[in-house]
Amino acid sequence: MTVLEQPGAHRSAPGWSPRVDPEPLLPDAEPFRLLGTGASLDEEALRRLYSGVVRGRRYNQQATALTKQGRLAVYPSSAGQEACQVAAALALEERDWLFPSYRDTLAAVARGLDPVEVLSLLRGDWHSGYDPRESRVAPLSTPLATQLPHAVGLAHAARLQGESVVALALVGDGGTSEGDFHEALNFAAVWRAPVVFLVQNNGFAISVPLEKQTAAPSLAHKAVGYGMPGRLVDGNDAAAVHKVLLEAVERAREGDGPTLVEAVTYRIEAHTNADDAGRYRTADEVEQWRAHDPVALLERELRSRELLDDAGVRAEAEAAERMAERMREEMHREPRLDPGELFDHVYARRTGQLREQEALLRAELAAEEGAGGGAAVRGGER
């Protein structure tokens, strides 16, 4: 018999009470929705969201095609998740920071980055393809959830410097199983850092379904364990995601701390071009989610409000096609590669081992050039 099972035993310490009332932190029982409900909506925001998701869908299609043509090493498509990524980018002000994961190329494009530059890393280049300081978009993160502590650190540091900056960090449902997720949320809540965490729950961590990752009622429920509010939203309802994120960003900016938002969505395409999604999910399941397509949902809403007609649909499609055409033109150009860059930015002063490796590479390339091919590597110590 344990102490608490003994007759008359106290089941709580004298005078104990919760440090924080958990009730206001709990998410709604059902995902929050706006489209199709007749709610009052910002018409200009709806138009911007629609333009973004149409462009995003074409972006995903073109990047996937480029991968099949060998112009990209890999592409993790966000088809089906466009509403989450566009809404996230549009919820931020210019001074704020976006911290994407590897699947969030569209969020970076919606933030204003060049569509071709965003693909640099996935092409196999050594750098992110854009200047994070200038764009206020952190490099695409391939390791799961490692961008979350970075977002917390940047937001906390900005506040210490008196800057009104909010960091919005995106992560997938698989990333919530990483230790970095726990550490980031814990620090953010303790420090009341101005951070918003957006979990795009697309149902699978590669091939692992959510029910094999967590027994929590929802990922949004995890928020209460850290002392921050959790919000549950329909991730294919762009208007709902945008509203929830706007509120979370404003809450963070006002000094009220972080928010965890779970957007329930679905990855229509495979995890990457190297994945066979048919091995772990059915075609019927995919088709059910296609019926809840974020692009179609927005178009239906705009048409019902007489904010969009056939001419408007064609205009957006044509604009998206111009973007895709430029992507094809730029990505089909052979890149000018400098192998010497492999040794740049490793250390402030190159080590002996790096100098030895560079000399070996220089000799090999010089031999190839002498044989009628290859490219010379820049010499000299930096």
Side-chain angles (χ1 to χ4, degrees), residues 205-282:
I206 305 183
S207 59
V208 180
L210 186 65
E211 59 266 22
K212 291 188 177 181
Q213 290 190 70
T214 179
S218 74
L219 295 174
H221 276 81
K222 292 180 179 287
V224 67
Y226 300 99
M228 69 177 71
R231 297 294 308 274
L232 185 63
V233 62
D234 182 343
N236 287 19
D237 184 331
V241 180
H242 188 237
K243 179 177 175 59
V244 167
L245 291 178
L246 279 176
E247 292 173 351
V249 167
E250 185 59 26
R251 180 178 181 274
R253 202 181 309 280
E254 292 296 320
D256 294 327
T259 302
L260 173 64
V261 179
E262 176 189 356
V264 181
T265 183
Y266 197 79
R267 167 171 52 81
I268 295 297
E269 304 293 341
H271 176 71
T272 68
N273 52 295
D275 173 41
D276 179 7
R279 300 184 65 178
Y280 56 84
R281 67 184 189 185
T282 66

Side-chain angles (χ1 to χ4, degrees), residues 141-165:
S141 174
T142 301
L144 292 184
T146 55
Q147 73 276 18
L148 304 186
H150 298 166
V152 177
L154 181 141
H156 181 58
R159 186 177 60 179
L160 292 177
Q161 294 175 344
E163 300 176 9
S164 181
V165 169

Side-chain angles (χ1 to χ4, degrees), residues 101-113:
S101 73
Y102 60 89
R103 195 178 300 282
D104 302 321
T105 49
L106 175 55
V109 172
R111 178 79 166 139
L113 271 67

Side-chain angles (χ1 to χ4, degrees), residues 179-203:
D180 299 81
F181 176 81
H182 160 80
E183 293 157 4
L185 268 69
N186 193 56
F187 273 118
V190 170
W191 288 340
R192 297 181 68 83
V195 185
V196 177
F197 301 97
L198 174 59
V199 179
Q200 297 173 83
N201 176 9
N202 65 22

Side-chain angles (χ1 to χ4, degrees), residues 83-101:
C84 296
Q85 303 207 5
V86 173
L90 297 186
L92 297 176
E93 296 183 6
E94 187 176 347
R95 55 184 161 170
D96 299 327
W97 274 77
L98 181 73
F99 282 79
S101 73

